[in-house]
Amino acid sequence: MAHDHHDHSNCNHDHGSHGDPNALKAVDEMNNRQQAADKLAKSLLELQELAKDYKKKTQVKTTPAVEKADVNLLMNEFQITKTQAESALRDNNNDVVASMTFLINN
């Protein structure tokens, strides 16, 4: 029995699997795996964003150490406490001249 051949130029049906159940299962499995991979990629991006936000919120802010001589100078010259002198230095990037100017003006 010969297969009836016809013009395929305007053909819109599949000549490949003809409903082969194994081929259909394979296509379904590939689609399911692609959907799972897409969901996983989206979840990974969300986790990365959450981790970045968490890191920003919990990052320990380090303050530079102040020089003991600068603290003593400010304490003696301005009659302020050690805590006030250290705070003035930290607020002015450990610049003793800027700290003195700040204390004079405030």
Side-chain angles (χ1 to χ4, degrees):
M1 175 174 216
H3 183 69
D4 184 22
H5 290 282
H6 58 273
D7 181 19
H8 292 277
S9 61
N10 291 321
C11 185
N12 61 2
H13 63 272
D14 182 19
H15 287 272
S17 64
H18 288 291
D20 180 3
N22 290 332
L24 294 175
K25 284 181 185 177
V27 169
D28 285 343
E29 181 65 23
M30 286 177 24
N31 287 336
N32 289 339
R33 288 182 183 199
Q34 185 60 51
Q35 287 175 354
D38 292 345
K39 286 180 183 178
L40 186 61
K42 182 179 178 185
S43 294
L44 182 59
L45 287 173
E46 290 172 0
L47 280 173
Q48 288 172 332
E49 284 299 315
L50 289 171
K52 190 172 25 171
D53 290 344
Y54 178 79
K55 188 176 181 180
K56 283 181 186 176
K57 289 178 184 175
T58 60
Q59 194 171 27
V60 177
K61 298 193 183 345
T62 57
T63 54
V66 292
E67 294 292 325
K68 187 175 181 179
D70 293 341
V71 172
N72 289 334
L73 174 68
L74 294 179
M75 287 172 53
N76 292 333
E77 293 299 318
F78 291 92
Q79 298 299 307
I80 58 176
T81 66
K82 179 179 179 183
T83 303
Q84 290 170 319
E86 289 172 343
S87 178
L89 284 164
R90 284 192 186 98
D91 290 346
N92 290 284
N93 298 319
N94 287 336
D95 183 334
V96 73
V97 175
S99 298
M100 292 173 89
T101 303
F102 170 79
L103 290 168
I104 290 169
N105 293 323
N106 291 307

